[in-house]
Amino acid sequence: MAQPLAERLRPKTLDDYIGQKHLVGQGAVLRRMIDSGRISSFILWGPPGVGKTTLARIIANKLDTPFYTLSAVSSGVKDVREVIEKAKNNRFFSQASPILFIDEIHRFSKSQQDSLLGAVEQGIVTLIGATTENPSFEVIRPLLSRSQLYVLKSLEKEDLLELLDRAIHTDVILKERNIEFRETTALLRFSGGDARKLLNILELVVEADPEDKAIITDDKVTERLQQNPLAYDKDGEMHYDIISAFIKSIRGSDPDSAIYWLARMVEGGEDPAFIARRLVISAAEDIGLANPNALLLANACFDALMKIGWPEGRIILAETTIYLATSPKSNSAYMAINDAIALVQETGNQPVPLHLRNAPTRLMKQLGYGNDYKYTHSYEGNFVQQDFLPEELKEKRIWHPQNNPAEKRLKESMASLWKDKYND
């Protein structure tokens, strides 16, 4: 039985590697490190099908050093220790450290990651990790601090078209077929920047065409995919589409739709922690100050899910989903931080007003640091008007309360304290 097209076309060298020019193009940081023959530990973070595993295999082929692979899905602490012991025995003074590639490192537990730490610190192994999830959430801090982080991007249209051209002209099976691309929009859209998915769809469409000549059109691609509906792919395009529908249903205050999309993810085997994290983000971004308790509940949901596990965790996710969907909505905090960042980028490093500066030394006090600062608690009502923004920005408004009961109360409170400043 022939290998899948995506496996047959997997590149063996960096010259054949498509995409990620910012990392492996001529003169790019990772290319220089690989060409030098000595690499330090690093983690590849990016969506599925963009070449993380392929890049690790290319490094294995290029560097003259032992190469070990573990899958976080099927490996435990015992497997990690066995590989580290092998690495110790295979290490020679003239060689670089053996490389340990861990696919889906975000699925490793804290104890599994802890078992790696000593070997990485001591240089027994050079770690290459691959993850589709944010390493800040999934990789323990000591391990992350000892590794470079490289972000891989979804493949661009030009990359995907180059891959299609290579497939029909170099693949041992497809080059024997007469394949013509009349349209590629559907192919590119359904692939979602995922090279593996693009090749899987191409193979599906070509195999379904009995004629010697396979003509690829948008309608044919759409029809073939509808006849062969893809199962929920928690690492693919549907993963992103369904979580998008889920969050937008919460934002749109539709609990029925939100619960439906939650059920789709539960049935599809989605990582519960991924769902819980998105609920925390939604609580802050879309509900915000209209109901601050939403963030507390979402955070409690995450904690409870970690303690309770599956399948009961689905009930915790459902309760939180309905609560967020039925809560009043505000993105004033989200807009405020975005506007504040834009203001900082526009105006640069404005000086801190003297009266707000810290004055731990006599010289600083002599220079006026802290002079004229009014200590809030020394005034009636624990409030006194004074300027807290840099001089050039002191008239600038950033946070704008929105029209919901909770923020109306906040606005009234601020207006009573500041008079005209928050009375817009």
Side-chain angles (χ1 to χ4, degrees), residues 89-107:
N89 297 333
N90 288 341
R91 176 77 188 271
F92 300 102
F93 291 110
S94 59
Q95 276 188 326
S97 301
I99 293 170
L100 173 57
F101 173 65
I102 300 181
D103 198 14
E104 298 189 85
I105 194 171
H106 59 277
R107 294 180 181 270

Side-chain angles (χ1 to χ4, degrees), residues 265-285:
M265 290 187 285
V266 168
E267 278 297 291
E270 181 59 83
D271 180 4
F274 172 76
I275 303 171
R277 279 198 301 274
R278 294 307 300 261
L279 288 171
V280 173
I281 295 168
S282 175
E285 179 180 341

Side-chain angles (χ1 to χ4, degrees), residues 43-46 52 72-73 102-110 112-113 129-140 234-235 239 270-271 273-274 277:
I43 293 174
L44 301 171
W45 173 29
K52 299 184 292 296
V73 176
I102 300 181
D103 198 14
E104 298 189 85
I105 194 171
H106 59 277
R107 294 180 181 270
F108 255 8
S109 67
K110 183 179 183 298
Q112 289 171 305
Q113 294 183 40
T131 177
T132 56
E133 301 292 341
N134 188 330
S136 299
F137 293 122
E138 305 293 350
V139 179
I140 60 174
K234 59 187 174 184
D235 291 327
H239 161 88
E270 181 59 83
D271 180 4
F274 172 76
R277 279 198 301 274

Side-chain angles (χ1 to χ4, degrees), residues 262 301 305 310-321:
L262 174 62
C301 166
L305 188 66
W310 215 239
E312 289 81 1
R314 77 192 191 284
I315 307 167
I316 301 167
L317 291 173
E319 177 184 344
T320 307
T321 295

Side-chain angles (χ1 to χ4, degrees), residues 352-358 368-374 386-389:
V352 176
L354 279 177
H355 69 285
L356 297 181
R357 296 189 189 186
N358 188 32
Y369 283 30
N371 284 0
D372 301 322
Y373 170 65
K374 299 172 183 176
Q386 59 185 322
D387 292 325
F388 292 98
L389 280 170

Side-chain angles (χ1 to χ4, degrees), residues 118-291:
V120 173
E121 286 179 326
Q122 298 165 35
I124 295 170
V125 295
T126 298
L127 173 67
I128 301 178
T131 177
T132 56
E133 301 292 341
N134 188 330
S136 299
F137 293 122
E138 305 293 350
V139 179
I140 60 174
R141 189 176 299 275
L143 199 56
L144 195 57
S145 68
R146 288 160 179 79
S147 309
Q148 295 293 318
L149 177 63
Y150 298 116
V151 180
L152 283 73
K153 305 172 183 176
S154 295
L155 298 187
E156 303 287 344
K157 177 181 178 181
E158 293 73 20
D159 299 326
L160 297 171
L161 290 175
E162 181 183 349
L163 184 57
L164 287 175
D165 184 72
R166 181 179 297 179
I168 65 172
H169 289 107
T170 67
D171 178 65
V172 292
I173 295 176
L174 293 193
K175 69 181 181 180
E176 301 300 322
R177 298 286 305 271
N178 187 3
I179 300 172
E180 177 187 345
F181 292 107
R182 296 250 176 108
E183 297 167 316
T184 57
T185 301
L187 269 172
L188 302 186
R189 177 164 52 88
F190 284 118
S191 74
D194 181 328
R196 183 170 52 248
K197 180 163 283 190
L198 178 74
L199 295 175
N200 288 344
I201 295 171
L202 174 62
E203 191 169 34
L204 175 70
V205 174
V206 171
E207 286 179 351
D209 198 328
E211 304 295 332
D212 290 337
K213 183 177 180 64
I215 298 175
I216 311 296
T217 65
D218 290 346
D219 286 344
K220 185 177 288 187
V221 169
T222 303
E223 178 188 353
R224 294 288 188 267
L225 288 179
Q226 288 173 345
Q227 290 174 355
N228 299 270
L230 301 177
Y232 182 87
D233 179 4
K234 59 187 174 184
D235 291 327
E237 177 193 17
M238 195 175 290
H239 161 88
Y240 298 102
D241 286 346
I242 289 185
I243 196 67
S244 175
F246 176 62
I247 294 301
K248 287 172 181 172
S249 297
I250 292 174
R251 184 181 298 144
S253 298
D254 186 345
D256 285 349
S257 298
I259 280 290
Y260 168 79
W261 294 117
L262 174 62
R264 285 283 297 274
M265 290 187 285
V266 168
E267 278 297 291
E270 181 59 83
D271 180 4
F274 172 76
I275 303 171
R277 279 198 301 274
R278 294 307 300 261
L279 288 171
V280 173
I281 295 168
S282 175
E285 179 180 341
D286 294 318
I287 294 155
L289 293 169
N291 179 8

